[in-house]
Amino acid sequence: MASPSASSKVSLKLLIDTKEKRVLLAEASKEFVDFLFNLLRLPVGTVTRLLTKKGMVGCLGKLYESIENLSDNYLNIPPQDKNILLKPSTPFASGYLLLANDDNINSSGTSNLYMCSKRCSYVVTSADNTACPSCQRHMNHTVQFVGNDRNATQVIGASGGEGGFVKGVVTYTVMDDLEVQPMSTISTVALISKLNVKDIASLQERVVELGMEEGIKLLKASLQCKNVLTSVFLKNMAV
């Protein structure tokens, strides 16, 4: 199964309780479950940048802004600079993660490597524009990566070339609080009963799409509440 690109959209079938105005569960494909699992691999710096400083809950936004505003005179460089913290390399191929349009990830899913224009000692870095430890020039000349990136290929090849974390032959149930389990008719009926649905006639199926915008909203909601699917998809939907 081909992986979705960062600009693609993933379909999701929601089971909605229109009377209570809540999403009971979602019928999800491999792509959506891979997306959810990949959220756990995002560096905190990437999460902060994706949600923007003002969108962050707590103090991480202020911490991020402090690093942005801190003069280089106070940083312990060379060889590292702010991008190590502000734009950390995402540890997974962008094709499997809608949010990972990171500057340090190339189309093959491996981290880009950079050196300065003088190629001082052939020192390389994964953070673009890092100050060279020898000449202080920006290390922004891309170096071709040859061979396998263990971090990028370990999960990609784990399921016989299919990629991602879960198998594509299975449909998955994703609850409003993002609990994930393989779908079956019996388990779905049991879940509906457990969720205390008072009027079966009020249940309705809706197909929605998850793209970059919805992905960021879902990431933010997952850090703020336990009714994530309801928060992201029902807010502007007439039910």
Side-chain angles (χ1 to χ4, degrees):
M1 181 181 294
S3 61
S5 67
S7 61
S8 66
K9 296 202 173 199
V10 175
S11 294
L12 195 64
K13 184 184 289 186
L14 304 178
L15 182 62
I16 302 170
D17 184 341
T18 57
K19 190 172 183 178
E20 298 294 330
K21 291 182 170 53
R22 59 173 176 157
V23 175
L24 298 179
L25 55 88
E27 181 180 321
S29 64
K30 162 190 169 55
E31 287 79 11
F32 183 71
V33 176
D34 280 342
F35 161 76
L36 291 180
F37 286 2
N38 268 304
L39 294 181
L40 299 178
R41 293 173 62 88
L42 285 176
V44 173
T46 299
V47 171
T48 306
R49 183 157 56 92
L50 285 168
L51 299 184
T52 71
K53 298 183 291 291
K54 293 182 180 179
M56 286 296 297
V57 175
C59 303
L60 284 177
K62 282 295 183 182
L63 179 60
Y64 191 95
E65 188 175 6
S66 297
I67 298 170
E68 283 185 316
N69 296 333
L70 189 64
S71 170
D72 290 344
N73 295 329
Y74 298 99
L75 295 176
N76 189 25
I77 57 173
Q80 298 182 352
D81 71 351
K82 294 180 182 180
N83 284 336
I84 297 290
L85 301 171
L86 301 179
K87 296 182 179 181
S89 298
T90 304
F92 200 56
S94 58
Y96 289 93
L97 183 58
L98 296 174
L99 302 180
N101 59 340
D102 196 275
D103 298 336
N104 295 329
I105 298 293
N106 61 34
S107 59
S108 67
T110 57
S111 298
N112 286 330
L113 298 177
Y114 306 92
M115 64 169 49
C116 71
S117 58
K118 293 182 67 177
R119 295 178 171 80
C120 298
S121 303
Y122 293 96
V123 174
V124 298
T125 178
S126 62
D128 190 13
N129 286 319
T130 295
C132 174
S134 298
C135 68
Q136 302 303 309
R137 286 183 170 85
H138 288 304
M139 299 174 71
N140 51 20
H141 288 256
T142 304
V143 179
Q144 183 177 4
F145 187 93
V146 178
N148 294 324
D149 186 326
R150 183 178 179 183
N151 288 335
T153 59
Q154 186 174 14
V155 178
I156 293 174
S159 54
E162 184 180 28
F165 291 98
V166 296
K167 295 183 178 180
V169 295
V170 181
T171 300
Y172 298 88
T173 297
V174 179
M175 304 304 294
D176 201 10
D177 61 0
L178 302 187
E179 179 184 351
V180 178
Q181 58 185 281
M183 174 171 277
S184 73
T185 303
I186 295 176
S187 63
T188 301
V189 171
L191 284 172
I192 292 174
S193 176
K194 183 179 179 181
L195 291 169
N196 194 28
V197 177
K198 298 177 182 178
D199 184 6
I200 297 297
S202 68
L203 300 185
Q204 189 177 108
E205 287 187 353
R206 296 279 185 91
V207 176
V208 296
E209 289 188 328
L210 178 89
M212 183 67 177
E213 181 180 351
E214 293 80 13
I216 291 177
K217 288 180 180 179
L218 192 147
L219 172 61
K220 183 177 181 179
S222 69
L223 298 172
Q224 295 178 328
C225 64
K226 293 185 177 182
N227 58 336
V228 176
L229 299 182
T230 296
S231 175
V232 173
F233 295 108
L234 287 196
K235 189 174 181 180
N236 298 316
M237 183 187 296
V239 294

